[in-house]
Amino acid sequence: MFSYLRERFSSRLRERSRRRARLVSKDGRCNIEFGNVEQSRFVFLIDIWTTILDLRWRYKMTIFISAFLGSWFLFGLLWYVVAYIHKDLPEFNPSFNHTPCVENINGLTSAFLFSLETQVTIGYGFRCVTEQCATAIFLLIFQSILGVIINSFMCGAILAKISRSKNRAKTITFSKNAVISKRGGKLCLLIRVANLRKSLLIGSHIYGKLLRTTITPEGETIILDQVNIEFVVDAGNENLFFISPLTIYHIIDKNSPFFHMAAETLLQQDFELVVFLDGTVEATSATCQVRTSYIPEEVLWGYRFAPIVSKTKEGKYRVDFQNFSKTVAVETPHCAFCLYNEKEAKAKEKKGYDNPGFVLSEVNETSDTKM
């Protein structure tokens, strides 16, 4: 028992040591940080709208509550100051015929309640501004305008946060692994992608970037060097009809960065394949981007995806997501170079070649048989 646990623990440690660092996680988050940024944090306040939208919900709700409570309390203090200057408070013992700036403000608490009622337009009718003070009328107008601005900004920020297309991207899923196998007589890298909603993505476009470390002829080391990877489906990579799961593929030809890789050397490679899907949400007309990544351990050579779409007896099409990431082993050349050499060899066998050095000589046959 202990030997089994020890072996299992050591295998997990070896697996974690082999685990490679990702730039893009499987759910699309970028693993990168910025250091020694010379620009001040003030630049983020200039674009305050984007800064508010990018905040986490707990920080956004803290700002939301603080903005309202702070404005109510600030104007409550101002209303208290107005009542104090005009000597409307009970401690000044105003006369019976004294007309206050604001009716029924007896202290800081009642001033805060009047500020709250004014800004959120509750209007209980118990406390109200009189025509006695121009200062109170100006303060009432200023608080009403500022209250509308705060309401519009904060409610708009929350609505924009809820309706961001980033949430729509969570209903687009990619297969756990990428596979390499023959498709249409060509060696291809295949990935499966599915839309979990029945609403479509309009104008969908899919493409990829291969990230790897390269060394230039001048000796410069480029980390995260990007190479374009073209993905297609049978109908092309533009305007995908994304009603059911699609299998996208990249043809491994002589122009592909995967051409010189083989099944035996794939795990020894150091690369990260990032796949992007851009589209427009049908319901909101907002653009969204979905991304994921694959490292060499997640690329299976010699496999294909199991069938996922079937047709029922009632004539409906059924998608079985249990087989979404399921793979099946198939016979596959162990490298693209060997596949193309095999094709060239077969093509040469079907052709005839003239030998210029071959000379046909006639031979006279003599018969030694005597009758």
Side-chain angles (χ1 to χ4, degrees):
M1 180 66 181
F2 291 103
S3 59
Y4 170 76
L5 293 177
R6 192 186 310 111
E7 183 180 354
R8 184 71 179 271
F9 181 73
S10 60
S11 63
R12 291 294 297 271
L13 287 179
R14 288 194 300 267
E15 181 181 353
R16 293 191 63 178
S17 64
R18 291 194 306 264
R19 190 173 299 172
R20 305 170 191 248
R22 293 177 179 270
L23 177 66
V24 180
S25 63
K26 297 296 288 184
D27 57 357
R29 290 177 295 180
C30 295
N31 178 28
I32 192 170
E33 63 179 17
F34 300 99
N36 301 323
V37 180
E38 296 181 357
Q39 291 184 341
S40 173
R41 297 282 183 179
F42 183 73
V43 296
F44 295 99
L45 296 179
I46 297 177
D47 187 14
I48 186 64
W49 180 253
T50 305
T51 303
I52 292 294
L53 290 183
D54 289 339
L55 288 177
R56 295 181 181 271
W57 273 109
R58 54 180 176 267
Y59 302 125
K60 185 184 293 292
M61 294 307 299
T62 300
I63 295 176
F64 181 83
I65 296 173
S66 300
F68 282 104
L69 290 179
S71 62
W72 296 339
F73 185 74
L74 175 62
F75 280 99
L77 288 176
L78 295 178
W79 287 116
Y80 179 79
V81 170
V82 170
Y84 184 86
I85 294 175
H86 199 253
K87 297 183 179 181
D88 299 334
L89 300 177
E91 57 262 27
F92 293 106
N93 296 319
S95 60
F96 179 77
N97 58 353
H98 176 76
T99 303
C101 292
V102 181
E103 295 282 357
N104 299 310
I105 286 188
N106 302 319
L108 186 59
T109 303
S110 56
F112 175 79
L113 292 176
F114 178 71
S115 174
L116 172 62
E117 296 167 13
T118 300
Q119 189 163 326
V120 300
T121 64
I122 294 178
Y124 289 125
F126 182 68
R127 301 179 182 87
C128 61
V129 177
T130 64
E131 68 276 7
Q132 186 68 23
C133 299
T135 306
I137 297 175
F138 173 78
L139 185 60
L140 176 66
I141 295 173
F142 183 72
Q143 184 178 6
S144 300
I145 295 175
L146 185 63
V148 171
I149 295 175
I150 294 176
N151 286 338
S152 302
F153 184 84
M154 298 308 300
C155 295
I158 290 181
L159 181 61
K161 180 78 170 180
I162 295 175
S163 60
R164 292 186 78 177
S165 57
K166 185 181 296 185
N167 298 326
R168 176 64 175 92
K170 294 181 180 179
T171 56
I172 306 296
T173 181
F174 288 88
S175 57
K176 181 180 179 181
N177 297 301
V179 297
I180 294 179
S181 60
K182 292 177 63 175
R183 186 184 182 95
K186 300 178 181 179
L187 193 63
C188 300
L189 183 142
L190 300 97
I191 297 172
R192 180 172 278 175
V193 57
N195 178 17
L196 301 181
R197 288 186 178 273
K198 291 186 178 180
S199 58
L200 300 178
L201 282 179
I202 303 173
S204 300
H205 172 63
I206 194 161
Y207 56 97
K209 298 286 185 181
L210 187 71
L211 308 179
R212 59 185 180 181
T213 301
T214 59
I215 300 177
T216 63
E218 294 77 17
E220 179 185 3
T221 301
I222 301 177
I223 301 177
L224 299 180
D225 185 25
Q226 301 183 16
V227 180
N228 289 327
I229 301 294
E230 295 293 334
F231 282 98
V232 295
V233 293
D234 292 334
N237 62 344
E238 298 285 349
N239 299 323
L240 305 178
F241 186 47
F242 210 2
I243 192 64
S244 64
L246 297 176
T247 300
I248 61 174
Y249 58 91
H250 163 72
I251 300 176
I252 304 178
D253 54 13
K254 295 182 179 180
N255 297 322
S256 172
F258 295 96
F259 183 76
H260 298 286
M261 299 183 189
E264 297 82 3
T265 61
L266 179 63
L267 296 179
Q268 302 172 7
Q269 303 294 325
D270 185 15
F271 67 85
E272 181 178 354
L273 175 62
V274 184
V275 184
F276 302 87
L277 174 62
D278 298 337
T280 303
V281 181
E282 186 179 27
T284 62
S285 298
T287 58
C288 72
Q289 182 183 86
V290 195
R291 51 187 176 267
T292 189
S293 70
Y294 298 92
I295 55 178
E297 287 81 1
E298 296 170 345
V299 179
L300 306 179
W301 196 295
Y303 288 83
R304 65 172 175 82
F305 290 110
I308 191 174
V309 180
S310 61
K311 192 173 183 180
T312 62
K313 295 181 180 180
E314 293 79 11
K316 295 183 178 181
Y317 292 94
R318 182 175 182 272
V319 179
D320 185 9
F321 279 95
Q322 186 176 1
N323 294 336
F324 179 73
S325 294
K326 186 178 180 180
T327 57
V328 179
V330 292
E331 184 179 354
T332 305
H334 74 282
C335 66
F337 187 77
C338 300
L339 176 63
Y340 285 96
N341 283 348
E342 180 183 353
K343 287 184 177 180
E344 292 178 359
K346 290 183 178 180
K348 289 180 179 179
E349 289 179 358
K350 297 179 180 179
K351 296 180 179 179
Y353 294 90
D354 293 333
N355 187 353
F358 179 77
V359 178
L360 179 63
S361 59
E362 295 183 358
V363 179
N364 295 327
E365 295 183 356
T366 58
S367 177
D368 296 337
T369 305
K370 294 183 180 180
M371 295 298 295

